[in-house]
């Protein structure tokens, strides 16, 4: 006799309920990694940030990117106020050829990130494009991991950027890899305000 759709769904529901019942609260913030070549790594992190803000949680952002390209999210969160936001390029005139200067700026940004992680003041901290700073060896992966491990229990961290380091992935609770199926840039369409920045 074939099982009915209803019976199948009931089985599935029971399984799912058992899983949920067995899951526990870790009572610590999580480490999330958004990586891969597809679009959506940073914007997804900002989506999580909005979710946290909806619960009146405290959030911060440190951006490990050169220059200070104005983005819609920066404009929005500035208007909203109350969000700690540091950009690696702030206060510098960027010379992209200057590796020594890049390293110095990345280290300064990370020391700010470390301070925020251990402060106990934040529920969520986004380290935007930190994976890129690690890939270029602007930052030492070991010291980043030490900081992540010494973070306040309250604080969840999202690390974004392509080519996430394997050692970071090892300690992460979540890794999502964005896969490029199609991107308008490949068809010659330039970055669009409100979609890309
Ligand atoms: P987003 O900020 O839109 O979530 P992202 O963080 O996943 O994108 P990044 O590598 O940080 O991607 O690049 C940021 C910029 O580059 C955005 O303008 C984005 O649209 C663009 N971009 C992302 N992925 C691709 C791609 N596969 N091809 C071309 N441009 C891309
Ligand atoms: Mg990004």
């Amino acid at each position: 006799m074939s099982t009915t759709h209803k019976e199948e769904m009931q089985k599935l529901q029971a399984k799912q309920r058992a899983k949920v019942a067995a899951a526990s609260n870790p009572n610590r913030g999580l480490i999330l990694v958004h990586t891969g070549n597809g679009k959506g790594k940073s914007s997804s992190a900002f989506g999580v940030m909005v979710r946290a803000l909806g619960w009146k949680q405290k959030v911060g952002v440190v951006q490990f990117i050169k220059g200070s390209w104005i983005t819609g999210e920066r404009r929005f969160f500035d208007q909203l106020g109350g969000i700690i936001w540091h950009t690696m390029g702030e206060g510098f005139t960027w010379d992209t050829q200057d590796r020594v200067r890049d390293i110095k700026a990345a280290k300064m940004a990370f020391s700010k990130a470390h301070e925020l992680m251990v402060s106990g003041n934040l529920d969520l901290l986004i380290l935007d494009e930190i994976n890129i700073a690690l890939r270029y060896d602007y930052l030492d992966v070991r010291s980043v991991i030490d900081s992540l491990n010494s973070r306040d229990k309250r604080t969840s961290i999202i690390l974004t950027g392509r080519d996430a380091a394997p050692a970071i992935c090892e300690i992460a609770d979540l890794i999502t890899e964005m896969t490029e199926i199609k991107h308008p840039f490949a068809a010659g369409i330039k970055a669009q305000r409100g979609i890309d920045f």
Side-chain angles (χ1 to χ4, degrees):
M1 198 182 78
S2 67
T3 53
T4 64
H5 176 73
K6 191 174 175 185
E7 280 167 347
E8 260 176 50
M9 288 304 114
Q10 278 170 342
K11 265 190 215 159
L12 215 61
Q13 187 187 50
K15 254 193 199 169
Q16 188 55 28
R17 282 189 179 157
K19 261 193 208 164
V20 172
S24 60
N25 198 328
N27 292 315
R28 63 168 175 83
L30 302 180
I31 295 179
L32 294 77
V33 173
H34 296 177
T35 193
N37 290 338
K39 170 176 157 57
K41 300 173 287 293
S42 298
S43 44
S44 165
F46 295 125
V48 175
M49 195 168 140
V50 168
R51 193 170 266 176
L53 286 167
W55 291 104
K56 307 254 180 270
Q57 293 183 359
K58 295 276 177 269
V59 303
V61 179
V62 177
Q63 287 189 301
F64 293 82
I65 44 162
K66 294 172 205 166
S68 42
W69 198 17
I70 296 292
T71 59
E73 58 270 24
R74 179 76 201 249
R75 288 167 60 99
F76 174 76
F77 289 119
D78 276 355
Q79 284 159 25
L80 191 70
I83 291 149
I84 296 163
W85 196 304
H86 288 272
T87 299
M88 178 172 123
E90 247 162 31
F92 288 90
T93 30
W94 277 99
D95 175 0
T96 53
Q97 307 298 311
D98 195 338
R99 185 177 158 84
V100 173
R101 198 166 197 174
D102 284 359
I103 291 171
K104 201 175 158 198
K107 287 198 165 145
M108 273 173 65
F110 191 73
S111 94
K112 188 70 212 174
H114 175 86
E115 190 189 309
L116 292 169
M117 266 187 254
V118 299
S119 72
N121 294 330
L122 292 183
D123 298 289
L124 177 68
L125 176 63
I126 295 175
L127 304 180
D128 193 33
E129 311 303 343
I130 192 171
N131 295 339
I132 306 297
L134 284 161
R135 190 182 68 181
Y136 288 138
D137 288 325
Y138 291 175
L139 298 173
D140 165 49
V141 71
R142 211 47 260 172
S143 34
V144 170
I145 288 171
D146 286 347
S147 286
L148 290 171
N149 287 333
S150 67
R151 76 189 185 282
D152 190 273
K153 273 174 72 177
R154 170 184 176 186
T155 310
S156 290
I157 315 274
I158 307 181
L159 301 93
T160 88
R162 295 174 183 213
D163 300 319
I168 302 272
C169 291
E170 243 168 65
I171 63 157
D173 296 290
L174 173 146
I175 306 166
T176 295
E177 184 164 28
M178 308 292 168
T179 307
E180 183 188 333
I181 307 293
K182 207 181 208 187
H183 194 288
F185 189 68
I189 298 170
K190 71 175 192 177
Q192 300 289 296
R193 185 181 272 192
I195 299 286
D196 294 297
F197 63 91

